[in-house]
Amino acid sequence: MRLEEDFGARLKAYEGRPAVVAGVGKDPVNAPMIRHWCEAMGDSNPAYTSPDAIAPPTMLQVWTMGGLSGHAGHTQAYDELLALLDEAGCTSVVATDCEQEYLRPLRPGDEVTYDAVIESVSHRKRTKLGTGYFVTTRMDVRVDGEPVGTHRFRILKYAPAGRPARTEPVSTRSEAGRPRPVINRDNAGFWEGVARHRLLIQRCGDCGTARFPWLPGCNACGSPEWDTFEASGAGTVYSYVVLHHPPFPAFDPPYAVGLIELAEGVRIVSNVTGVPYDKVRIGMPVRLAFERYDEELELPVFRAVDGRGVEP
């Protein structure tokens, strides 16, 4: 208990410290992004398309997001906080909720700046996903120095269920292995099958439609009833990509990731093995295998049947 209290105090010390200082939006508020947003949301409000259009207020976060290249402006304090949680075993993250306050509309051409602060770090919490800590940041958004809105964003940094969070950091060098899958009540049966070297596919209890990945309800008829059956393991490469970048300690690029069409008619994303990455081809026959990455983790992969690619 004392260790947990001490660790919690270390986390609490980051409250009030800056997370981003003098951040600048990568793009000004612009009509194309507003159009894409409205089309995606099905929002046809003329206020967003008229000659004096404004941006939908709920787009506030859009103008501050870093995109695939991420943010370069996080402070050392923010990075230290996340690293501390990682070292304590809370290596998984999920966004839980956000709160926004709008002070004035944003219009195309507005250049957004922002600052963010680590507003709070919760005490240790036990959730269905796992044990961890809620971290809330508050972002103050401005245009020409004038406040236009506030965005609070809360994440849960947690150790997946079955791997409890530690109350003191340890070196992560030995843990720089393959990322662990997130196991929850909707997909636990699939991972139990993998542990027994069985690839289980869901089947709707009403209409009989096979589905993958696992879902709590049928995407064809909506029924919550289902059972499972075991895949034969036969499949073909429906599509694939070769990963060269970014580098990651657990992987050795380049390597092929395939969208595999199973004989049962569903598709699964997995590594293609047993053949050089540049020999993978669409239509290539593959067979299910199970590859162990460390003492805890074994994953389904697909091995080329004849050990070589087949030219289309």
Side-chain angles (χ1 to χ4, degrees):
M1 180 63 70
R2 181 61 180 175
L3 286 175
E4 182 176 331
E5 291 175 355
D6 289 347
F7 184 66
R10 291 180 65 187
L11 298 177
K12 285 286 186 181
Y14 286 90
E15 292 184 343
R17 298 179 67 179
V20 178
V21 176
V24 178
K26 289 192 171 182
D27 298 287
V29 178
N30 63 86
M33 187 63 75
I34 293 172
R35 184 181 72 252
H36 293 319
W37 173 279
C38 290
E39 289 177 356
M41 297 297 178
D43 191 340
S44 57
N45 190 320
Y48 310 140
T49 57
S50 64
D52 55 348
I54 62 172
T58 50
M59 289 187 75
L60 181 67
Q61 185 191 16
V62 168
W63 316 114
T64 66
M65 294 175 74
L68 293 177
S69 58
H71 282 293
H74 282 137
T75 63
Q76 182 177 344
Y78 185 78
D79 290 339
E80 286 177 358
L81 172 61
L82 297 191
L84 194 61
L85 290 166
D86 285 343
E87 291 168 7
C90 299
T91 54
S92 296
V93 62
V94 62
T96 61
D97 62 288
C98 69
E99 303 170 11
Q100 293 183 338
E101 180 182 8
Y102 313 117
L103 303 177
R104 78 136 168 99
L106 289 170
R107 294 180 171 81
D110 282 344
E111 299 274 358
V112 165
T113 60
Y114 55 93
D115 297 286
V117 64
I118 302 166
E119 192 167 66
S120 65
V121 183
S122 75
H123 297 293
R124 190 180 185 192
K125 302 290 185 180
R126 289 179 173 85
T127 74
K128 288 185 177 180
L129 288 176
T131 300
Y133 301 82
F134 290 93
V135 178
T136 304
T137 53
R138 187 192 75 243
M139 180 177 290
D140 297 310
V141 184
R142 302 178 179 84
V143 172
D144 294 329
E146 173 193 357
V148 296
T150 300
H151 175 76
R152 281 184 175 84
F153 193 67
R154 187 172 295 109
I155 62 173
L156 171 65
K157 284 281 286 177
Y158 66 98
R163 292 193 291 127
R166 296 181 290 270
T167 54
E168 57 182 88
V170 299
S171 171
T172 58
R173 179 172 294 276
S174 62
E175 299 179 2
R178 196 91 169 193
R180 268 45 183 172
V182 175
I183 300 175
N184 55 42
R185 62 182 180 181
D186 292 328
N187 66 12
F190 170 78
W191 292 107
E192 290 168 3
V194 169
R196 301 194 304 271
H197 285 193
R198 301 177 67 205
L199 184 64
L200 298 179
I201 300 172
Q202 278 185 312
R203 176 172 50 204
C204 178
D206 284 338
C207 71
T209 299
R211 65 179 186 261
F212 192 89
W214 281 35
L215 296 170
C218 180
N219 53 350
C221 73
S223 171
E225 303 300 324
W226 56 272
D227 61 5
T228 65
F229 65 99
E230 185 175 358
S232 67
T236 57
V237 176
Y238 183 84
S239 183
Y240 70 95
V241 294
V242 174
L243 277 296
H244 294 267
H245 188 81
F248 189 78
F251 299 88
D252 185 21
Y255 56 93
V257 176
L259 178 61
I260 309 301
E261 184 160 76
L262 299 179
E264 293 74 18
V266 297
R267 296 170 187 161
I268 179 174
V269 175
S270 186
N271 287 101
V272 180
T273 66
V275 64
Y277 71 89
D278 57 351
K279 297 298 182 183
V280 176
R281 296 291 184 269
I282 291 174
M284 184 174 73
V286 291
R287 187 80 189 176
L288 174 67
F290 291 88
E291 187 163 331
R292 179 166 292 281
Y293 294 92
D294 56 43
E295 67 278 3
E296 296 179 349
L297 185 65
E298 194 168 18
L299 297 175
V301 299
F302 288 85
R303 182 173 294 276
V305 169
D306 56 4
R308 59 183 177 83
V310 178
E311 292 289 343

